[in-house]
Amino acid sequence: MSARARRGPRDGRAQWLAPLWCLSAALGVLRTPASQAFNLDVDKLTVYSGPEGSYFGYAVDFHIPAARTASVLVGAPKANTSQPDIVEGGAVYYCPWPAEGSAQCKQIPFDNTNNRKIRVNGTKEPIEFKSNQWFGATVKAHRGEVVACAPLYHWRTLKPTPEKDPVGTCYVAIQNFSAYAEYSPCRNSNADPEGQGYCQAGFSLDFYKNGDLIVGGPGSFYWQGQVITASIADIIANYSFKDILRKLAREKQTDVAPASYDDSYLGEIHYLAHLLFLKRMDDVLIGALSSWNVYLYLQVSALVFRDPQILAVTEVFGRFGSAVATLRDLNQDGYNGIKRGKVLIYNGNKDGLHTKASQILQGLWASQTIPSGFGFTLRGDSDIDKNDYPGRCCSCGSWKPLVSPCRARPVVTVDAQLLLHPMIINLENKTCQIPESVSPVACFSLKVCASVAGQSISNTIGLTAEVYLDTLKQKGAVKRTLFLDNNQSHFIFPLTIKRQKSLQCQDFVVYLRDETEFRDKLSPINISLNYSLDESTFKEGLDVKPILNYYKENTVTEQAHILVDCGEDNMCIPDLKLSARPDKYQVIIGDENHLMLVINARNEGEGAYEAELFVMIPEEADYVGIERSNKGLRPLSCEYKMENTSRMVVCDLGNPMVAGTNYSLGLRFAVPRLEKTNMSINDLQIRSSNKDNPDSNFVSLQINITAVAQVEIRGVSHPPQIVLPVPNWEPEEELHKEEGVGPVVEHIYELHNIGPSTISDTLLEVGWPFSARDEFLLYIFHIQTLGPLQCQTNPDINPLDIKPATPPEDTPELSAFLRNSTIPHLVRKRDVRVPEPHRQSPAKILNCTNIECLQISCLVGRLEGGESAVLKVRSRLWAKTFLQRKNDPYSLASLVSFKVKKMPYQDQPANSQRGIKTSVIWATPNVSFSIPLWVIILAILLGLLVLAILTLALWKCGFFDRARPPQDDMNDREQLTDEKTIET
């Protein structure tokens, strides 16, 4: 079996169309946005309703059998009928127009029979199946003939096998529904799947201009689809209820194509827009379900079409193009239109269709209520109310069974004009007098003229006209012109137009303010006229009110000009030149000396009106003021302005800046801050309001930025030395308070920025002499900062949690130091006398190279030139450690350094470090000299005699021959190294 033969049957698009159909983008009864409404009247609607769940409105058409009669045909493919044993066979309803009362619709009796049967093996079995056949899925009327189809009508072949196929069937009604005939072109005795078994004839339906019927069958030949045509007269003449397989002699069908055309669905949806644009050739309008677009093909010669014009919308699941209908010439402008979708109305023109919808019809129900599928089915091209506007629409909702016909409103086309005299105004020619004013003014005359045209409009049309003067001047700007009657820049008045007259006008006088009240003499004086229909002039009881032509602008503009001294042509063409240079090409950040731009501006052509110099400045610069300008010329005024995110200085160069003017000026700027080491001042330019050659050349300047920041570290130890032993003090065995540790030692460090530039994000680090071999040296109790410092230590200070004492107030020396004064190198003398140190060996230096140090890390913030950050560390000498090593001098050194981590410019100062020392020395007690000298000398001599005798005796006894004893335990301990002084 071939691949084509193995494929299973399909139920047809009508079955999947129903559930997807409810995703239509618009819902409910008609409404239209006022801003987009054109000439379909949605204020007075007729709404037809049908049985719930019947899909009433799935198909619609207008039925106009005679000149002054009209009705609406509505298909309901899921409606129940009176046919015996048939469930939801579908029906077509006749709805009268105009509607009377509650607008009741009546079912048309196309078919009242049940399923026909045949005898198979002695038993009668149905040969056709009308339940769920979707009769009324398509409905079409043409000159009194009405055709409705059931595309899911199933037929069983005459063979013994019980196969049934959705061949589809149609019914034709003529003579005001007095005679009916069935037409099922795909019904036959051949059950071959390659034939017409799944034809679904009547899935689409239309009429030729000559009245012949066109039937689409998308399921034939493995869904290649086919189109079938037949004459209505042949269908009626050859119809027989019993001869159900009769073929028509003049019937035409498209034939089977190669297998590559499978699944083409020919005949699924088609629409021939006959005479869509008043041509003698047919144009084709196609709704594409795959892309949900609408394609219009204009025929330029026989079967030769232009590239398609595509209409598309962006509504998700809107199914745009699933319904398309012609409205013929909706607004009587000579070009037919179409509608689709929500519903959207597009009017025709000589090139096809306007791409912007002239009207959008929407539903009145909210989305949370029952969805109506509004706009699913569309019909037009019928003048149901006979007012000479044939483009009438019928927009239907099938989920909620409603049908809404709407009528077209007469279209009024207005031809409006503004006439000015003179169009060039001489300010010196002051011929008008303002009421209650003694000074004459310059003025000109203004005429507002209009004529109207349109089909079926009244002889007199009332308009409301609004005239606005000097509309190019935005709100808040000075209007240069005013109406002489009311001293206002706008005027509203009624304008009544007789249809038979060509132009009807109304006159006004407009005057100009005194030229001292405005500066702009070059830009045109723009005058605008807006007009609308004056609905108060419509006749009472008028059923359908007229509307303005949507595709005709209701705004007219004209311009007048002010005469300027620019030659005979009244056109000033300046020749503006600009040059600039800085007074120095290098700027030091933070320097108090300003930067000055020396600018030369000149005009070598005709007058430049409203000439201004624009200087765009960077974020880091500040405008200080104007330094100098030419002697003999009027003084210039410059001001700083901010427009959006642009910073600029604007200087007024004159109105006009006359030919030959040459300005030399200096603009001074300060540069207190900068993020980079270069700066550009861009877009220096002169601009005028002249129409021709209004601007000068652009000038851009590049200025180098240098950062000069001298940074130093200063420090002091207070006191600079500790003398042991401390008088009247003994160490405690168990330490609970700070005072029991030892003498106070404070180190103070200052990071000072000499400037002039700024530094920021600097790391200040201190290595503190903390301990050696688990013995404390300088024990920290408190850290104090002044300035933008944030510090932390590793390890923590005061690890023994000794109760700290209240720190005393700073001494004058320290207070001066914290105020960024010069660091004192000497401290003042104390009132209490201390023991004088005796001569000692060189001190052993204890620093981070030979002992354990505590690290203090401080992040220093932004420091301007001349500012400092100060760190003060308060500690106590751990006396117990040093008293165990009597008479050994030590130098305790902390090492402080800084490193710049981030700076507001690229050039960075060099890093530096310094050592701060505290000396530990020893002293002997003071001795009184009140004993006589001779006693002292005698005592010394006697001592020496005794020593000599004792030495002789010991030598005789061999005492000096004994071995040397071991050294003292203290000397066996590891000695603290004597290092060189750290370089500062």
Side-chain angles (χ1 to χ4, degrees):
M1 183 180 294
S2 67
R4 297 177 69 204
R6 287 195 300 268
R7 297 190 312 174
R10 305 185 183 186
D11 293 334
R13 177 178 169 269
Q15 291 193 2
W16 59 259
L17 183 64
L20 285 183
W21 159 83
C22 66
L23 299 175
S24 177
L27 308 173
V29 184
L30 295 175
R31 69 179 176 188
T32 178
S35 61
Q36 291 186 306
F38 192 21
N39 71 317
L40 288 180
D41 185 13
V42 297
D43 295 328
K44 297 179 181 180
L45 297 176
T46 300
V47 179
Y48 300 107
S49 61
E52 291 289 340
S54 65
Y55 285 6
F56 180 85
Y58 191 90
V60 295
D61 204 0
F62 293 107
H63 179 45
I64 308 176
R68 290 294 173 181
T69 61
S71 60
V72 178
L73 304 176
V74 182
K78 291 182 70 64
N80 281 306
T81 64
S82 59
Q83 296 168 274
D85 302 324
I86 305 301
V87 178
E88 293 187 352
V92 177
Y93 291 85
Y94 173 91
C95 304
W97 175 269
E100 297 179 358
S102 58
Q104 295 295 323
C105 300
K106 298 180 181 180
Q107 182 177 328
I108 302 173
F110 280 96
D111 178 26
N112 293 323
T113 63
N114 61 353
N115 294 326
R116 286 172 281 199
K117 298 181 180 180
I118 60 172
R119 187 175 296 277
V120 179
N121 298 326
T123 305
K124 284 189 175 182
E125 296 183 6
I127 195 173
E128 61 182 355
F129 304 88
K130 299 180 181 179
S131 292
N132 301 305
Q133 66 178 347
W134 276 60
F135 181 70
T138 52
V139 176
K140 269 291 183 179
H142 180 74
R143 297 177 183 174
E145 301 167 345
V146 178
V147 179
C149 298
L152 294 186
Y153 165 87
H154 281 63
W155 158 257
R156 173 180 172 173
T157 63
L158 299 179
K159 295 180 180 180
T161 55
E163 298 176 356
K164 61 177 182 178
D165 305 318
V167 295
T169 189
C170 299
Y171 282 84
V172 178
I174 60 173
Q175 299 175 0
N176 200 22
F177 304 106
S178 62
Y180 302 90
E182 184 186 17
Y183 177 56
S184 182
C186 296
R187 189 167 59 197
N188 56 53
S189 59
N190 182 14
D192 191 341
E194 295 187 359
Q196 297 174 293
Y198 305 108
C199 172
Q200 298 186 45
F203 196 96
S204 59
L205 186 65
D206 208 344
F207 281 95
Y208 278 118
K209 288 178 290 187
N210 63 2
D212 287 350
L213 185 65
I214 311 171
V215 178
S220 298
F221 318 128
Y222 282 114
W223 301 93
Q224 289 182 4
Q226 65 176 152
V227 176
I228 306 162
T229 65
S231 168
I232 295 294
D234 290 348
I235 294 174
I236 298 296
N238 291 276
Y239 172 66
S240 171
F241 179 76
K242 294 182 179 180
D243 191 2
I244 58 179
L245 295 181
R246 177 176 295 183
K247 290 293 183 180
L248 302 182
R250 294 189 296 175
E251 179 185 86
K252 295 180 181 179
Q253 299 185 3
T254 57
D255 205 352
V256 64
S260 60
Y261 289 91
D262 289 359
D263 299 311
S264 297
Y265 303 104
L266 179 64
E268 181 181 59
I269 288 183
H270 72 278
Y271 191 87
L272 297 179
H274 304 297
L275 294 179
L276 186 61
F277 299 106
L278 292 184
K279 299 180 179 179
R280 305 190 63 178
M281 296 174 290
D282 289 346
D283 300 317
V284 180
L285 195 64
I286 299 175
L289 298 185
S290 59
S291 61
W292 299 119
N293 291 334
V294 171
Y295 298 84
L296 171 64
Y297 294 86
L298 298 181
Q299 190 174 185
V300 295
S301 60
L303 298 180
V304 177
F305 296 89
R306 295 183 189 174
D307 291 337
Q309 181 181 358
I310 302 175
L311 302 179
V313 294
T314 58
E315 284 95 341
V316 179
F317 304 124
R319 308 190 77 232
F320 174 56
S322 61
V324 180
T326 181
L327 300 183
R328 207 148 56 97
D329 190 2
L330 183 65
N331 59 336
Q332 292 293 304
D333 64 351
Y335 299 97
N336 297 340
I338 65 161
K339 64 174 187 161
R340 53 78 179 160
K342 276 184 175 180
V343 175
L344 283 81
I345 311 298
Y346 290 88
N347 288 73
N349 58 24
K350 62 183 179 61
D351 297 318
L353 292 175
H354 289 283
T355 57
K356 181 180 179 182
S358 64
Q359 189 169 4
I360 299 178
L361 308 180
Q362 298 178 339
L364 289 176
W365 295 302
S367 59
Q368 60 266 29
T369 61
I370 301 175
S372 69
F374 177 77
F376 181 76
T377 304
L378 306 176
R379 288 294 181 269
D381 196 14
S382 301
D383 186 6
I384 56 176
D385 56 358
K386 307 303 178 184
N387 70 344
D388 297 328
Y389 283 83
R392 300 299 175 267
C393 73
C394 186
S395 308
C396 308
S398 301
W399 198 265
K400 185 173 181 64
L402 294 173
V403 174
S404 302
C406 46
R407 301 169 294 175
R409 300 166 63 179
V411 177
V412 178
T413 301
V414 178
D415 179 19
Q417 299 179 21
L418 286 174
L419 304 177
L420 310 180
H421 181 78
M423 299 187 71
I424 298 180
I425 306 150
N426 186 352
L427 294 178
E428 302 297 327
N429 187 16
K430 300 180 179 181
T431 59
C432 292
Q433 188 73 40
I434 304 175
E436 301 179 358
S437 176
V438 297
S439 300
V441 292
C443 60
F444 60 93
S445 65
L446 168 66
K447 283 182 178 289
V448 178
C449 303
S451 64
V452 297
Q455 184 75 22
S456 300
I457 64 174
S458 60
N459 291 329
T460 301
I461 298 295
L463 300 178
T464 298
E466 297 182 67
V467 179
Y468 294 86
L469 304 178
D470 216 358
T471 57
L472 297 181
K473 295 299 181 181
Q474 301 299 319
K475 184 177 180 180
V478 175
K479 301 285 188 178
R480 296 169 292 178
T481 55
L482 302 172
F483 284 102
L484 191 64
D485 291 339
N486 63 358
N487 289 328
Q488 300 294 322
S489 61
H490 72 281
F491 201 89
I492 302 175
F493 57 94
L495 189 61
T496 302
I497 310 297
K498 301 292 184 180
R499 188 174 63 170
Q500 63 271 21
K501 292 187 178 181
S502 56
L503 275 179
Q504 297 169 69
C505 302
Q506 188 160 337
D507 296 334
F508 300 93
V509 176
V510 177
Y511 75 92
L512 278 77
R513 294 177 185 266
D514 189 272
E515 57 185 303
T516 60
E517 298 182 45
F518 62 89
R519 300 179 65 241
D520 181 13
K521 298 178 183 178
L522 283 184
S523 65
I525 300 171
N526 199 75
I527 301 175
S528 173
L529 164 66
N530 296 338
Y531 60 85
S532 59
L533 287 177
D534 185 358
E535 296 192 4
S536 65
T537 62
F538 295 160
K539 294 181 180 179
E540 294 186 5
L542 189 63
D543 191 26
V544 179
K545 297 179 180 180
I547 190 171
L548 285 178
N549 191 341
Y550 177 79
Y551 291 104
K552 180 78 172 179
E553 289 288 342
N554 65 340
T555 300
V556 179
T557 60
E558 193 55 82
Q559 291 182 342
H561 296 268
I562 298 175
L563 180 66
V564 291
D565 185 16
C566 296
E568 295 181 356
D569 58 0
N570 200 46
M571 295 177 58
C572 285
I573 304 178
D575 186 10
L576 299 170
K577 305 291 185 181
L578 180 66
S579 61
R581 62 176 178 82
D583 65 340
K584 51 186 174 184
Y585 288 93
Q586 187 168 343
V587 175
I588 298 177
I589 299 176
D591 193 352
E592 294 182 357
N593 294 325
H594 294 158
L595 167 70
M596 186 171 69
L597 298 183
V598 180
I599 300 173
N600 180 262
R602 59 192 184 276
N603 181 13
E604 298 177 357
E606 295 178 305
Y609 284 81
E610 296 183 282
E612 293 179 319
L613 169 66
F614 291 82
V615 181
M616 308 296 291
I617 60 177
E619 292 270 342
E620 297 82 2
D622 291 333
Y623 173 64
V624 176
I626 186 170
E627 177 70 13
R628 56 190 174 91
S629 60
N630 297 58
K631 294 183 178 179
L633 294 177
R634 71 177 184 86
L636 297 180
S637 61
C638 299
E639 61 178 335
Y640 170 82
K641 289 186 177 180
M642 186 77 179
E643 293 185 3
N644 297 328
T645 58
S646 299
R647 305 170 71 243
M648 65 181 68
V649 175
V650 182
C651 298
D652 179 12
L653 300 181
N655 187 28
M657 183 182 181
V658 298
T661 301
N662 191 336
Y663 281 111
S664 179
L665 65 150
L667 300 181
R668 190 167 292 282
F669 298 91
V671 189
R673 56 197 178 276
L674 208 65
E675 297 299 327
K676 300 178 181 178
T677 55
N678 56 64
M679 179 179 68
S680 61
I681 298 181
N682 298 318
D683 297 344
L684 282 80
Q685 190 185 35
I686 305 173
R687 304 175 194 169
S688 69
S689 60
N690 294 58
K691 182 179 179 180
D692 299 297
N693 199 29
D695 303 329
S696 73
N697 56 298
F698 281 99
V699 176
S700 295
L701 299 177
Q702 193 74 24
I703 301 169
N704 295 326
I705 304 298
T706 300
V708 177
Q710 299 181 25
V711 182
E712 66 175 358
I713 293 180
R714 304 186 292 188
V716 66
S717 173
H718 180 74
Q721 63 183 18
I722 298 294
V723 180
L724 294 180
V726 179
N728 303 320
W729 181 89
E730 293 293 335
E732 299 177 358
E733 292 296 329
E734 295 184 4
L735 295 175
H736 299 287
K737 295 183 179 180
E738 175 185 333
E739 293 81 353
V741 173
V744 173
V745 176
E746 293 180 330
H747 283 195
I748 303 175
Y749 314 96
E750 179 188 28
L751 181 67
H752 180 63
N753 181 17
I754 300 175
S757 302
T758 302
I759 65 171
S760 64
D761 291 354
T762 304
L763 182 62
L764 179 69
E765 294 183 311
V766 176
W768 183 263
F770 182 59
S771 65
R773 291 297 183 112
D774 298 330
E775 292 182 286
F776 293 119
L777 301 177
L778 290 178
Y779 190 88
I780 299 177
F781 281 95
H782 184 69
I783 291 178
Q784 180 184 355
T785 62
L786 181 66
L789 280 83
Q790 292 182 345
C791 300
Q792 59 184 9
T793 64
N794 184 24
D796 294 337
I797 63 175
N798 193 9
L800 300 182
D801 199 20
I802 301 172
K803 183 178 180 180
T806 301
E809 295 183 358
D810 292 322
T811 61
E813 294 86 351
L814 294 179
S815 298
F817 180 75
L818 293 176
R819 291 193 301 269
N820 297 329
S821 300
T822 303
I823 298 176
H825 297 285
L826 296 175
V827 298
R828 64 183 177 87
K829 294 184 178 180
R830 296 178 180 268
D831 296 332
V832 181
R833 295 183 61 193
V834 297
E836 296 181 359
H838 61 80
R839 293 183 180 180
Q840 300 175 355
S841 59
K844 298 177 181 178
I845 298 177
L846 304 180
N847 58 30
C848 296
T849 62
N850 50 30
I851 60 171
E852 298 177 12
C853 278
L854 180 144
Q855 296 296 323
I856 304 174
S857 298
C858 299
L859 185 62
V860 185
R862 186 182 184 94
L863 288 179
E864 303 287 345
E867 294 182 345
S868 294
V870 177
L871 170 66
K872 174 182 175 182
V873 180
R874 185 171 63 84
S875 70
R876 286 187 178 264
L877 183 74
W878 199 271
K880 185 177 180 181
T881 300
F882 295 92
L883 291 176
Q884 294 176 354
R885 298 166 173 82
K886 287 186 177 181
N887 300 324
D888 287 339
Y890 294 95
S891 178
L892 301 172
S894 64
L895 181 64
V896 58
S897 63
F898 79 90
K899 181 179 182 181
V900 176
K901 290 295 196 179
K902 179 182 177 183
M903 304 196 66
Y905 40 83
Q906 296 176 356
D907 298 333
Q908 299 183 6
N911 301 333
S912 179
Q913 63 181 12
R914 179 177 294 275
I916 309 301
K917 299 178 183 178
T918 302
S919 300
V920 179
I921 59 177
W922 297 85
T924 57
N926 287 334
V927 179
S928 173
F929 293 95
S930 59
I931 302 175
L933 180 61
W934 66 270
V935 174
I936 295 174
I937 295 174
L938 180 60
I940 293 172
L941 292 176
L942 290 176
L944 291 175
L945 179 60
V946 172
L947 179 61
I949 296 172
L950 181 59
T951 301
L952 179 61
L954 291 174
W955 178 73
K956 290 292 185 178
C957 295
F959 178 83
F960 294 103
D961 295 330
R962 295 174 59 191
R964 185 179 181 89
Q967 293 184 0
D968 183 69
D969 291 340
M970 183 64 181
N971 294 329
D972 290 339
R973 297 184 181 182
E974 181 178 349
Q975 300 298 312
L976 299 175
T977 58
D978 183 5
E979 297 293 340
K980 295 182 178 179
T981 301
I982 297 174
E983 263 188 326
T984 61

